[in-house]
Amino acid sequence: MDNSIISIVKEIARNLGDYDNVKRIVADKDNIRVMGEFNFQGWEPLTLSHGIPGICLLYGKLMECFPDEEIWAELAHQYLGYLVQEINKEGFQTLSMFSGTSGIGLAVASVSNNFCNYNKLLNTINSYIINWFDEFIDSIDLKKGTRSICYDVIEGLSGILSYCSIYYEQESFSPILLKGLKKLVELTYDIEVKGYHVPGWYIPSDNQFSTVEKELYPYGNFNTSFSHGIAGPLTLLSEMKSKGFMIEGQEEAIEKIVKFLFDFRSNDQKRDFWKGQIDFHEYITGKVSEKNIIRRDAWCYGNPGVCYSLIMAGNAMKNQSWIDYGIHNMKKTLSDVKGIFSPTFCHGFSGLYQVVNSIEFTIGKDIFYSEKKELLNKIMSFYDSNYIFGFRNMEVGDENGNIRAFEHLGLLDGTIGVCLALLEGEHKTKNIWKRAFLLA
């Protein structure tokens, strides 16, 4: 264990204990990232991505790593008080992982001391999810395609089920998991679009995230990514199979998604890689073009998330060739990482570091020793001892592509995600924080 890294994380966690200072720094207008039609806020208190729940995850991990240090449970309790205040004021907004009730539930569960504490609050959260789940499922209409936020890890079904899977042995959650898995299996059924049969995870042009994407994909596309694409559902379906939680058609769904990912690889003559979106015409012709290629080797998009999903599928289906392929591709990816320039989790080095650790956990072997050391050094090169939260988020800050630092704390793009990945690398525990990212 590297005590210097542990000391840095603890210092950052203590500094996060000043809630008023946290809000003052992160909610500053200079921390709002404006890109085209979108404004990305640095602070949204009820969200796991940019608010109180993410901070609770860090304290929960520290509680489990260092049970004799009472400060972490005290700070967690303090922040749960702020969380309840916000819930009483705003109510629950969605069921999602990163902006809704599932993320709040994950945060409370992570600081519950293995579900010994805060059960009244957890029961309130879980009852809300159970009571509103059918309405959410019924709102997902797959007849003409879908949209990412219906099924993905960030806002959709895969993230919600990732939280619910914590309780997969509880009778009250079995119907939710069964209905959720059924919907994910249905996502792989073919639908007819413009006279062609395509898989149901097809996203029509009108359902793209932005005006730019609608213009780039006038006939729609198929998202390959882990965060917003089909690699997330593949991981959830595979993981539940490994736990023995199965429904009819689940194995066929896994095989169909894996085939899609193998069929629609690109290659740069050094390694295979995945475009974020496969255009409708690319799908029907069976040939991937060189259009709209943006390389990013991250948890969210690109090789790391996709390779992890293939390894999880191989583990579930006892297919060693899928596992071997995922490992081999990750080795090549780590030798020449593309499109990463921040220490953060979602699309930064910390997420890549955790994916590697999670792959090793899944296969039960330490095979990335040198790669992990290099990633760790890269993350720590961003540490600023003069900044009370240690790590800043490096992002494209304007339409000209200039990169600047943002003082974000959130799980996705701030110091919280960095600290959790660093802690996990130094001190592996059973804490459930990784459920947020659908990682083992």
Side-chain angles (χ1 to χ4, degrees):
M1 185 185 300
D2 190 326
N3 289 325
S4 64
I5 290 176
I6 296 297
S7 296
I8 286 171
V9 172
K10 286 182 177 180
E11 181 181 8
I12 292 170
R14 289 189 188 94
N15 291 338
L16 287 167
D18 187 342
Y19 185 45
D20 289 335
N21 199 37
V22 165
K23 290 189 293 183
R24 182 185 62 79
I25 292 175
V26 185
D28 189 280
K29 59 180 176 58
D30 287 340
N31 262 328
I32 299 174
R33 180 169 167 254
V34 179
M35 289 296 293
E37 62 199 275
F38 298 107
N39 287 353
F40 298 97
Q41 302 291 327
W43 180 249
E44 295 174 332
L46 272 179
T47 68
L48 185 67
S49 58
H50 295 91
I52 297 168
I55 296 174
C56 289
L57 283 191
L58 177 57
Y59 290 139
K61 174 69 176 175
L62 285 163
M63 286 168 60
E64 193 162 355
C65 289
F66 309 103
D68 295 332
E69 298 178 11
E70 296 180 0
I71 184 175
W72 311 123
E74 291 169 358
L75 287 170
H77 185 75
Q78 170 187 312
Y79 265 93
L80 283 186
Y82 302 138
L83 182 64
V84 170
Q85 289 177 17
E86 292 291 338
I87 293 170
N88 290 336
K89 184 169 60 176
E90 301 292 339
F92 298 126
Q93 301 298 313
T94 73
L95 298 187
S96 79
M97 176 62 81
F98 279 94
S99 65
T101 319
S102 294
I104 294 171
L106 186 70
V108 178
S110 74
V111 300
S112 69
N113 190 21
N114 199 26
F115 302 98
C116 292
N117 303 321
Y118 307 118
N119 282 309
K120 184 177 179 181
L121 179 55
L122 272 174
N123 287 338
T124 299
I125 292 165
N126 290 344
S127 294
Y128 182 88
I129 292 172
I130 291 168
N131 291 337
W132 287 95
F133 189 79
D134 282 353
E135 182 173 312
F136 171 76
I137 280 286
D138 292 343
S139 72
I140 302 176
D141 184 359
L142 301 174
K143 294 184 182 69
K144 297 181 180 180
T146 186
R147 57 180 71 226
S148 289
I149 61 172
C150 291
Y151 69 81
D152 70 11
V153 175
I154 300 291
E155 291 295 319
L157 184 56
S158 296
I160 297 167
L161 293 180
S162 182
Y163 172 67
C164 293
S165 69
I166 296 168
Y167 310 100
Y168 77 98
E169 294 178 322
Q170 293 187 14
E171 186 177 345
S172 59
F173 274 90
S174 288
I176 283 180
L177 290 167
L178 290 171
K179 290 174 185 175
L181 288 175
K182 184 174 184 292
K183 185 64 74 170
L184 289 182
V185 168
E186 290 173 356
L187 187 69
T188 68
Y189 293 170
D190 279 354
I191 60 173
E192 186 174 328
V193 178
K194 304 183 190 305
Y196 294 92
H197 291 285
V198 302
W201 65 84
Y202 163 76
I203 303 173
S205 180
D206 287 345
N207 290 350
Q208 299 299 313
F209 282 122
S210 66
T211 302
V212 171
E213 287 185 332
K214 290 176 182 178
E215 293 172 352
L216 287 175
Y217 304 102
Y219 299 99
N221 62 26
F222 306 83
N223 194 304
T224 66
S225 73
F226 198 96
S227 58
H228 292 299
I230 199 60
L234 173 60
T235 303
L236 196 285
L237 289 164
S238 301
E239 186 177 60
M240 295 308 292
K241 182 184 186 307
S242 296
K243 290 178 176 178
F245 209 97
M246 289 283 295
I247 64 165
E248 184 179 354
Q250 193 165 334
E251 291 184 341
E252 291 81 0
I254 291 170
E255 290 172 346
K256 184 169 184 175
I257 299 170
V258 170
K259 183 178 186 303
F260 167 83
L261 290 171
F262 278 123
D263 285 348
F264 291 95
R265 293 170 286 181
S266 297
N267 187 282
D268 61 6
Q269 299 186 350
K270 294 180 180 179
R271 56 172 161 138
D272 292 340
F273 68 94
W274 286 268
K275 295 168 61 172
Q277 292 90 5
I278 302 301
D279 182 80
F280 178 78
H281 287 298
E282 291 177 316
Y283 182 85
I284 62 175
T285 60
K287 186 177 180 180
V288 183
S289 74
E290 295 185 1
K291 288 184 177 180
N292 303 325
I293 293 178
I294 299 175
R295 300 291 292 274
R296 173 175 275 176
D297 290 323
W299 166 80
C300 56
Y301 275 79
N303 284 16
V306 175
C307 287
Y308 177 77
S309 72
L310 291 172
I311 291 168
M312 289 294 286
N315 188 57
M317 300 291 284
K318 309 296 187 231
N319 188 316
Q320 189 62 40
S321 66
W322 296 352
I323 296 172
D324 292 342
Y325 174 84
I327 292 170
H328 180 69
N329 193 290
M330 273 300 295
K331 284 277 187 180
K332 287 192 170 185
T333 299
L334 292 167
S335 70
D336 183 23
V337 175
K338 303 287 188 182
I340 301 297
F341 44 78
S342 180
T344 48
F345 201 104
C346 180
H347 42 272
F349 290 104
S350 291
L352 189 50
Y353 183 55
Q354 183 55 52
V355 168
V356 172
N357 275 304
S358 292
I359 289 173
E360 290 187 336
F361 178 85
T362 299
I363 64 175
K365 295 179 183 178
D366 294 331
I367 58 172
F368 292 106
Y369 177 79
S370 60
E371 292 90 346
K372 287 194 298 182
K373 186 175 181 181
E374 187 173 338
L375 283 170
L376 185 58
N377 290 337
K378 188 69 176 178
I379 294 167
M380 295 309 300
S381 72
F382 288 91
Y383 174 65
D384 181 357
S385 60
N386 295 314
Y387 174 49
I388 64 168
F389 301 136
F391 298 92
R392 292 179 176 86
N393 177 26
M394 307 304 295
E395 288 279 11
V396 175
D398 58 36
E399 301 297 337
N400 296 320
N402 294 311
I403 296 172
R404 56 157 287 206
F406 292 84
E407 295 187 336
H408 290 165
L409 301 186
L411 184 64
L412 282 177
D413 59 10
T415 196
I416 300 293
V418 179
C419 289
L420 280 164
L422 290 174
L423 269 180
E424 189 70 21
E426 299 301 315
H427 201 304
K428 293 178 175 61
T429 67
K430 294 181 180 179
N431 190 273
I432 56 176
W433 74 270
K434 297 180 292 296
R435 300 307 313 158
F437 297 100
L438 203 47
L439 294 173

